[in-house]
Amino acid sequence: MNPKSILFLSLIYAFIVKLFTRQLNLDLPADIIALSLPLFGLFLTIFKPSSQDWEGLRSDLFYIILAWFIICILEVFNPAGASVDGWLREIVPVALIPLLIVTLSLLALRTNKDLNKFLIVIIGLSTAAALYGAKQLHFGLSTGDQRFLDQGGSITHLLWGRLRVFSIYSEAAQFGSSQAHIGLLSLILALGPFNKKIKILLFICSALMFYGMLISGTRGAFFAVISGGLIAILLSKKFKVLFLGGIVGICFVCFLKFTTIGNGNYNIYRFRSALNPDDPSLNVRFNSQKLLRDYMDSRPLGGGLGVIGYYGMKYNSDKFLSKVQPDSYWVKIWAMTGIVGFVIWFGMMTFILGKCCGIVWKIEDEALRVKGIAITSGIGGILFCSYGNEIMNTIPSSIIIYMSWVLVYKMPKIDRDIRENKFIAV
């Protein structure tokens, strides 16, 4: 009956749901369950109002996400005439789950202990996912994993006889991007002012997750590392770190772009192709976007929620947009809500990212600031990585990002509490 426990249960569920449904051959409505858990948590806050931080809702983050939810509600009246069934299913991951998770997090999360618990859960489960992915590659697939490939997953996960590892996630792109996200977060924490045992453990977890990223064959994960790493370097406020980090980043890009070292390893070769402008897969995406641009020029409000992607094929098969693969969350938002909706959405996302950077910049406690840098770099990494794949709209990355926003917004209060406790101790 604890709303905070329900929130963390939602986070754990987001990681393990695909593992269980795949192994047990169950067809569960994952989004509906992901919706019902925080909804139940909000009902609990009504019955236990005295234990919740209701003042937490007086935040621009809450109003921003609420405004986006209202915009998505109004999309049911989109003149393009998309199916209401498609709109009803699409609004759940696009607007309703973000609103519920952000609201419940603002009410329930408030202490450094909550922040630490969040980091332990996401690093622990992501490391377990990396180990399971290594098991898939080196020791073979389980019956459920093989069934996933046999039922159509092999089209995108078996390329030239090579397995794109998907671990416990819905597919390889989500696995690789999430591994890049949490791997970078762990690496930043490992460089922080923590005890030696924790730093060693974090380095090991980070290495395992970067390996998971590599064997996923997900090229978009490269941009999560680069953009997130750049944000982390800028927030460090240390010229030496900024200079050395920039040099390392440039050398890493040049290594991938201008050499063929490691091409004998398929995973490195595929990862390197992210920087190849002539890559056939990349050009297919550019051609799809050009096709969409010609169609969207006369549709500033888009085609409506649920008109593109999986729900587009299922509920709006008569629409032109349903026949185009978005291959990007940015493109999907643009197709559904038009240039008007995309500008609003992108403005909200960059405002939240900028606000998080501003908050972390002012944190005084060194350990807390490193945690803030790690979480904020992950937020930025997943946002820009979502240009290449539909990442931040898919669990577990979506739940992690929504909770990350709130935890960074709570850091000024956590910072004050830490400093007050240190003063009292002295």
Side-chain angles (χ1 to χ4, degrees):
M1 294 297 290
N2 186 338
K4 189 181 297 184
S5 297
I6 297 293
L7 183 60
F8 279 100
L9 181 61
S10 300
L11 178 61
I12 295 169
Y13 163 83
F15 273 94
I16 66 174
V17 59
K18 278 298 177 182
L19 175 66
F20 282 97
T21 56
R22 191 176 286 142
Q23 303 309 321
L24 300 176
N25 196 23
L26 299 175
D27 186 19
L28 294 178
D31 283 347
I32 300 303
I33 299 176
L35 168 67
S36 63
L37 286 170
L39 188 60
F40 178 60
L42 283 177
F43 278 126
L44 290 183
T45 64
I46 296 173
F47 291 105
K48 298 176 64 177
S50 60
S51 66
Q52 307 310 319
D53 182 17
W54 291 96
E55 285 295 315
L57 293 185
R58 298 179 63 180
S59 164
D60 54 39
L61 177 62
F62 172 73
Y63 296 125
I64 286 170
I65 302 303
L66 178 62
W68 177 246
F69 175 71
I70 293 171
I71 290 170
C72 289
I73 288 280
L74 296 176
E75 276 291 327
V76 73
F77 303 109
N78 191 299
S83 164
V84 174
D85 290 335
W87 168 85
L88 190 61
R89 293 302 300 272
E90 193 71 65
I91 198 173
V92 171
V94 170
L96 188 51
I97 290 179
L99 178 64
L100 289 175
I101 294 294
V102 166
T103 302
L104 187 57
S105 298
L106 286 169
L107 292 172
L109 303 179
R110 67 189 76 173
T111 67
N112 195 39
K113 185 177 179 181
D114 296 332
L115 172 59
N116 291 337
K117 186 184 296 184
F118 170 76
L119 292 173
I120 290 170
V121 170
I122 63 173
I123 293 173
L125 290 176
S126 296
T127 303
L131 292 172
Y132 187 83
K135 175 263 176 190
Q136 285 182 326
L137 182 64
H138 298 292
F139 298 99
L141 302 174
S142 68
T143 301
D145 295 336
Q146 186 61 54
R147 186 187 304 114
F148 166 71
L149 294 181
D150 294 341
Q151 293 176 348
S154 60
I155 297 173
T156 52
H157 291 80
L158 276 178
L159 302 180
W160 301 288
R162 304 274 188 165
L163 176 68
R164 290 184 62 204
V165 174
F166 48 90
S167 186
I168 62 176
Y169 296 75
S170 58
E171 38 85 33
Q174 178 61 221
F175 172 53
S177 299
S178 182
Q179 292 281 283
H181 171 195
I182 310 301
L184 177 64
L185 180 149
S186 301
L187 178 60
I188 295 169
L189 290 175
L191 300 174
F194 306 109
N195 70 56
K196 189 175 181 179
K197 289 183 179 179
I198 292 178
K199 289 164 75 76
I200 292 172
L201 186 60
L202 286 168
F203 271 121
I204 293 171
C205 291
S206 177
L208 287 170
M209 282 182 268
F210 281 130
Y211 178 68
M213 173 194 74
L214 191 64
I215 62 178
S216 73
T218 303
R219 293 167 295 188
F222 169 82
F223 299 101
V225 174
I226 294 297
S227 57
L230 179 60
I231 291 170
I233 291 169
L234 292 173
L235 289 177
S236 71
K237 295 198 290 187
K238 297 178 181 177
F239 177 77
K240 185 182 293 186
V241 173
L242 181 62
F243 178 75
L244 292 177
I247 294 296
V248 170
I250 291 171
C251 290
F252 178 60
V253 173
C254 289
F255 164 75
L256 292 175
K257 177 69 175 176
F258 300 111
T259 76
T260 58
I261 299 172
N263 272 2
N265 183 300
Y266 169 75
N267 296 309
I268 295 177
Y269 173 77
R270 181 169 171 81
F271 197 68
R272 176 172 277 129
S273 67
L275 295 174
N276 180 11
D278 298 321
D279 181 69
S281 177
L282 182 64
N283 282 306
V284 167
R285 298 187 183 208
F286 286 155
N287 289 335
S288 294
Q289 290 174 25
K290 183 179 183 302
L291 192 66
L292 278 173
R293 185 163 56 248
D294 295 339
Y295 181 82
M296 296 292 292
D297 278 346
S298 59
R299 295 167 177 82
L301 298 179
L305 294 189
V307 77
I308 194 171
Y310 175 77
Y311 295 129
M313 293 184 288
K314 186 172 182 179
Y315 298 107
N316 291 286
S317 58
D318 60 321
K319 306 294 183 183
F320 169 80
L321 290 173
S322 70
K323 298 173 178 59
V324 180
Q325 288 298 322
D327 292 321
S328 162
Y329 191 50
W330 294 23
V331 171
K332 186 173 185 178
I333 291 292
W334 172 43
M336 293 192 301
T337 63
I339 190 62
V340 174
F342 175 77
V343 168
I344 294 172
W345 175 82
F346 190 71
M348 293 190 304
M349 294 301 105
T350 50
F351 173 83
I352 293 171
L353 176 60
K355 180 71 177 284
C356 288
C357 289
I359 290 171
V360 172
W361 188 268
K362 297 178 182 178
I363 296 296
E364 295 184 22
D365 181 78
E366 183 64 20
L368 181 63
R369 192 163 66 85
V370 171
K371 294 175 191 176
I373 291 172
I375 293 175
T376 303
S377 67
I379 293 171
I382 288 296
L383 173 62
F384 292 109
C385 177
S386 293
Y387 172 74
N389 297 100
E390 193 176 339
I391 303 302
M392 66 179 297
N393 189 44
T394 308
I395 58 175
S397 290
S398 57
I399 307 295
I400 295 172
I401 291 300
Y402 307 147
M403 292 181 68
S404 294
W405 289 342
V406 173
L407 285 165
V408 174
Y409 265 69
K410 294 280 186 173
M411 281 187 180
K413 182 181 182 304
I414 295 174
D415 190 34
R416 289 193 299 271
D417 292 343
I418 291 173
R419 286 185 281 112
E420 287 173 4
N421 289 336
K422 285 182 179 178
F423 177 77
I424 293 171
V426 172

